[in-house]
Amino acid sequence: MSINNRFVKFDKRPAGAPTPDVFSVQSQKLRAIKDGEFLMRNIYLSMDPALVGRMRDEDNYAEKVNPGEVMHAYGVCQVVESNNPKVKVGEVRMGRVDMQQYTISSDDDAFKKINQGLAKATHFLGAVGLTGVTAYFAMREIAQPKAGETVLISAGASSVGSIAAQIAQLNNCRTVAIVSTDEKAAQVKQDWGYDAAISYRGKSIEQLSQDIKKACPKGIDVYFDNTSGDISEAVMDHYNVGARVAVVGRLAISHLTDTRLDTGRRDSNIMLTKRVKRQGFVILDYQKKIKGAIIQLALWIKQGKLKSKEDILIGIENAPDAFFRMLDGKNNGKQLVKLADIDDSINPDSSFAGRMILSKWFPSNFLIKKLS
Ligand SMILES: NC(=O)c1ccc[n+]([C@@H]2O[C@H](COP(=O)([O-])OP(=O)(O)OC[C@H]3O[C@@H](n4cnc5c(N)ncnc54)[C@H](OP(=O)(O)O)[C@@H]3O)[C@@H](O)[C@H]2O)c1
């Protein structure tokens, strides 16, 4: 079979924040698959902020992408050809497929089967995917919000932030978002039920700090830090005694060529006097518990306790645009790129187990506890 594979090539490392000239869209004939390999048609690509970190020539928890390679990206895919006995044609899987229409692999473990009885395919890149489980474990293991506490979330409109907020609300907390603009602040209160929301763009650290004080009159018990940088410096003076800080992302500094050179006010005095606990979070540490989190998130969605939104562009040629939309904060929901439809005529129906787990009579809480 002669297939033309269109892909987004990573041409060069950005000097600062990524610019459109770091990418070019190209195409190449696919080679035949070898013994043990399988070919996947990519269905959805996920545009994640962590891709910026992969562009830097710096050690990170994720593998870096090198100039000349296909740009990295996670996605949902469908197997269309297989010379691997563990992988069947038609299966819908997810993994690091990269920004391209087709992916060849021999590693069945790197592309996990998804169960569409638990949630729809796009949710596996959002609310029940890496973003959902990141919010779930960072909240459960580090932030540990308690009823009546104030939970402040930077990048509050992001997929991770919006799910973290809803989890805090399920724990009866007061939730406050920091987002780029006043329009977005009004929107996140409506979309995600935040009690208050403030904007950061164009404000000095002192101005933002004043706004945080007004939005959090009883101080901050939990700071869910998606940004780092100036935003986190503005948060610093408002911790209550015993506050917890989950350091989840570095959106505000990830464009620096060397993030170690980020400077700011020292916080030892605040950490000491307020007995603040701050811990970095990387989802890779929770791999063994992920199944339980996925079931819990899927159950909350089914019960109407958790909402999610998606913003989908169509076609591989629009993947660079989708990437920059996400970085500019223009996305309205999890930013995805759709490349193809799932071919249901070859899709083996594996949804039964998922539907059963979510059914009313199934002891799903027991299973969630056991698995997570
Ligand atoms: N540690 C882990 O294991 C892990 C796993 C997954 C995700 N994460 C992190 O979680 C965070 C959210 O990820 P996501 O996938 O949910 O994001 P997302 O839905 O794609 O949202 C990205 C949002 O980030 C904001 N943003 C972009 N550039 C910014 C900047 N320079 N300063 C401040 N805000 C900026 C924008 O909102 P505004 O318009 O409001 O600025 C944008 O809408 C990221 O930091 C990501 O790296 C961490």
Side-chain angles (χ1 to χ4, degrees):
M1 156 161 61
S2 166
I3 298 177
N4 212 24
N5 185 28
R6 298 188 75 202
F7 60 92
V8 176
K9 188 166 148 249
F10 178 60
D11 287 320
K12 58 175 185 182
R13 298 201 190 283
T19 44
D21 60 346
V22 301
F23 295 133
S24 59
V25 181
Q26 304 199 2
S27 78
Q28 195 173 32
K29 286 258 176 293
L30 272 181
R31 63 170 175 81
I33 57 169
K34 301 177 194 151
D35 262 3
E37 289 186 332
F38 51 98
L39 172 69
M40 296 160 279
R41 179 188 287 128
N42 299 329
I43 309 291
Y44 291 103
L45 300 178
S46 175
M47 297 297 126
D48 298 316
L51 298 179
V52 179
R54 286 173 181 260
M55 292 177 172
R56 266 197 316 271
D57 196 6
E58 179 187 288
D59 283 338
N60 197 342
Y61 60 87
E63 201 184 337
K64 67 183 172 194
V65 56
N66 292 307
E69 291 176 354
V70 178
M71 182 60 204
H72 293 182
Y74 282 88
V76 165
C77 51
Q78 186 170 32
V79 180
V80 288
E81 222 185 306
S82 178
N83 284 340
N84 182 321
K86 292 183 183 157
V87 179
K88 292 190 179 46
V89 167
E91 284 172 351
V92 180
R93 291 179 171 248
M94 65 171 292
R96 214 200 83 199
V97 297
D98 295 341
M99 286 193 195
Q100 55 187 341
Q101 290 176 304
Y102 292 89
T103 305
I104 294 174
S105 177
S106 56
D107 186 355
D108 62 288
D109 209 35
F111 296 92
K112 300 262 187 266
K113 268 192 271 184
I114 64 169
N115 191 311
Q116 292 173 77
L118 277 181
K120 56 181 188 168
T122 50
H123 278 162
F124 283 88
L125 298 174
V128 302
L130 275 187
T131 51
V133 293
T134 293
Y136 178 83
F137 284 120
M139 273 296 182
R140 196 183 84 156
E141 308 281 325
I142 299 176
Q144 302 183 348
K146 294 170 197 66
E149 289 190 329
T150 298
V151 176
L152 177 68
I153 302 177
S154 58
S158 65
S159 316
V160 170
S162 60
I163 292 167
Q166 294 176 79
I167 293 173
Q169 288 155 14
L170 286 172
N171 286 285
N172 298 313
C173 294
R174 180 168 192 277
T175 52
V176 181
I178 303 180
V179 294
S180 50
T181 62
D182 289 340
E183 295 72 48
K184 211 161 176 173
Q187 190 72 42
V188 292
K189 286 205 278 179
Q190 210 177 312
D191 288 349
W192 309 118
Y194 279 105
D195 297 285
I198 47 183
S199 61
Y200 68 82
R201 198 168 278 168
K203 288 181 185 165
S204 66
I205 295 175
E206 290 70 29
Q207 279 172 311
L208 182 56
S209 174
Q210 286 304 317
D211 289 353
I212 293 170
K213 193 175 181 183
K214 275 186 226 146
C216 306
K218 291 186 181 165
I220 296 163
D221 302 293
V222 168
Y223 175 40
F224 194 100
D225 181 5
N226 281 318
T227 56
S228 214
D230 289 354
I231 295 173
S232 297
E233 188 170 324
V235 174
M236 220 188 260
D237 287 321
H238 308 289
Y239 292 135
N240 289 330
V241 171
R244 284 85 63 205
V245 180
V247 181
V248 178
R250 297 165 297 171
L251 278 157
I253 60 165
S254 59
H255 62 282
L256 299 175
T257 33
D258 186 343
T259 49
R260 291 171 306 171
L261 301 182
D262 178 42
T263 52
R265 195 151 54 91
R266 294 185 182 173
D267 63 0
S268 308
N269 189 43
I270 291 159
M271 298 291 289
L272 187 145
T273 53
K274 297 289 174 70
R275 281 82 99 195
V276 176
K277 274 191 196 157
R278 184 169 64 191
Q279 192 179 325
F281 176 89
V282 173
I283 189 57
L284 300 174
D285 298 337
Y286 296 86
Q287 296 289 10
K288 288 195 182 130
K289 298 176 168 185
I290 267 178
K291 279 185 185 155
I294 290 175
I295 296 170
Q296 177 64 87
L297 291 159
L299 194 62
W300 279 337
I301 290 175
K302 190 176 176 222
Q303 293 168 338
K305 292 180 179 169
L306 189 71
K307 292 186 292 180
S308 73
K309 278 209 291 185
E310 287 146 7
D311 185 331
I312 303 179
L313 294 193
I314 312 279
I316 189 70
E317 63 284 358
N318 287 316
D321 273 1
F323 172 80
F324 287 108
R325 262 171 77 77
M326 174 274 296
L327 275 194
D328 294 343
K330 291 184 182 142
N331 56 317
N332 186 10
K334 177 75 209 160
Q335 185 69 62
L336 302 176
V337 178
K338 183 174 181 183
L339 303 182
D341 286 311
I342 293 172
D343 182 350
D344 283 321
S345 68
I346 56 166
N347 186 9
D349 186 13
S350 60
S351 62
F352 177 72
R355 280 188 276 121
M356 190 177 72
I357 287 169
L358 298 187
S359 67
K360 272 192 185 135
W361 53 266
F362 193 84
S364 34
N365 286 335
F366 171 75
L367 190 65
I368 291 163
K369 249 193 179 152
K370 199 167 162 15
L371 294 175
S372 67

